[in-house]
Amino acid sequence: MSVLEVQDIHKSFGKSEILSGISFSLDEGKVLSIIGPSGSGKTTLLRCITQLERAEAGKITVDGDTVFDAAETASLSKAEKRRRQLYFGLVFQSFNLFPQYNVLENVTLAMKLQAKEQPDFKEKKEEIFAAIDENARSLIDSVGLSDKLANYPCELSGGQQQRVAIARALAMKPRILCFDEPTSALDPELTNEVLAVIKGLVKLNMTMIIVTHEMRFAKEVSDRIIFMEGGNICAEGSSDEIFVKSENPRLKEFLGSFQA
């Protein structure tokens, strides 16, 4: 059953069309990798899906609930926009941790801000915050950083910072977890520790979208793969269909550049 439906998404910056009518679906518990050359529109597509960018046309639904519809007015309330964004967790390539907060604080910050909106927050603050801290500690442990709770981002390696970012995204309990080149800012030797965490999420049947240049990783973990170029989907299929059976000349040329 499809969790995510993306229908005819168009996005331009000035006179340059970046996305030219992108459509696809994603089933629950499946992993979709988006590959393609730089400038093909991969990150812009991810930003449109997660509502960090507004497309000019198209529609996006999650579990049948409209996340974006270009036919709607652009003046959604902040509360409604936030509600729709909460379907997604996004892990950026540049970590985006708050340098003034330690690991535990980085992971709990958004949840605690959200908790303040609960009608009984003042009466149950300590209970609510304790539950948030407990959940965060469990998530931090799951990414292998239980000994770094009190450390600040500047005291962590790039791989450790990215694992904190993954725990932070998971803390919001997203329906779909999205990654934008999660290893591109890392030294090669740190890449594997982040990929191992993502593989662990695959085993937990987390629904994910991964924009990546790690072809071997994409081939290994993906249920489906989209190859983009020039703002279009040029090929789509299973890992085997993309990496082994495809006769698409441009795709074969692209994959060959990674195998050389």
Side-chain angles (χ1 to χ4, degrees):
M1 179 178 178
S2 294
V3 172
L4 174 68
E5 293 281 352
V6 175
Q7 303 171 25
D8 199 30
I9 295 296
H10 291 257
K11 176 65 180 176
S12 298
F13 292 111
K15 295 182 179 179
S16 299
E17 187 174 45
I18 308 301
L19 301 175
S20 306
I22 299 294
S23 299
F24 67 88
S25 62
L26 178 60
D27 289 345
E28 184 171 7
K30 301 300 183 181
V31 179
L32 170 71
S33 287
I34 304 175
I35 64 173
S38 297
S40 59
K42 304 184 302 295
T43 292
T44 299
L45 174 59
L46 201 63
R47 290 178 65 85
C48 286
I49 291 170
T50 57
Q51 301 301 286
L52 293 179
E53 297 282 356
R54 180 177 173 82
E56 286 90 35
K59 184 176 182 179
I60 300 169
T61 62
V62 176
D63 291 330
D65 186 16
T66 298
V67 173
F68 169 77
D69 188 343
E72 289 182 331
T73 174
S75 57
L76 290 173
S77 68
K78 288 184 179 180
E80 176 60 13
K81 183 177 180 180
R82 180 59 179 160
R83 184 191 73 79
R84 296 182 181 196
Q85 287 179 317
L86 287 174
Y87 279 117
F88 303 96
L90 179 57
V91 179
F92 300 90
Q93 55 184 295
S94 55
F95 320 139
N96 286 12
L97 300 180
F98 294 103
Q100 70 272 34
Y101 296 132
N102 65 29
V103 167
L104 182 62
E105 290 166 339
N106 261 284
V107 175
T108 60
L109 179 62
M111 286 296 293
K112 288 182 176 180
L113 290 173
Q114 187 182 48
K116 291 180 180 180
E117 300 174 4
Q118 298 180 21
D120 59 349
F121 172 73
K122 290 184 178 180
E123 294 79 13
K124 297 184 177 181
K125 177 181 177 180
E126 291 187 9
E127 178 184 342
I128 292 171
F129 277 12
I132 290 173
D133 285 343
E134 181 180 0
N135 179 58
R137 288 189 180 93
S138 177
L139 290 170
I140 293 166
D141 180 61
S142 74
V143 298
L145 293 173
S146 58
D147 61 334
K148 302 292 185 182
L149 291 173
N151 287 80
Y152 289 84
C154 64
E155 300 172 316
L156 305 176
S157 70
Q160 289 170 333
Q161 290 186 61
Q162 191 63 297
R163 284 186 278 159
V164 174
I166 292 172
R168 180 179 61 181
L170 290 170
M172 298 302 290
K173 300 179 180 179
R175 194 72 173 91
I176 302 167
L177 185 57
C178 303
F179 295 88
D180 183 16
E181 298 285 3
T183 62
S184 67
L186 302 178
D187 294 333
E189 57 204 22
L190 297 177
T191 294
N192 286 340
E193 65 185 55
V194 172
L195 297 183
V197 171
I198 299 175
K199 288 179 183 178
L201 296 174
V202 172
K203 293 179 181 178
L204 296 174
N205 294 318
M206 184 79 197
T207 307
M208 292 186 280
I209 302 174
I210 306 171
V211 170
T212 184
H213 280 115
E214 295 283 344
M215 294 300 105
R216 185 176 300 176
F217 173 71
K219 182 178 180 181
E220 181 179 348
V221 304
S222 303
D223 296 290
R224 293 196 68 75
I225 297 173
I226 284 173
F227 171 64
M228 290 184 63
E229 186 168 50
N232 294 285
I233 294 176
C234 297
E236 180 177 1
S238 67
S239 178
D240 192 50
E241 288 169 336
I242 292 295
F243 283 96
V244 179
K245 298 178 180 178
S246 177
E247 295 299 323
N248 183 304
R250 181 63 186 100
L251 174 58
K252 292 176 73 173
E253 179 186 13
F254 175 78
L255 294 176
S257 68
F258 286 91
Q259 297 165 357

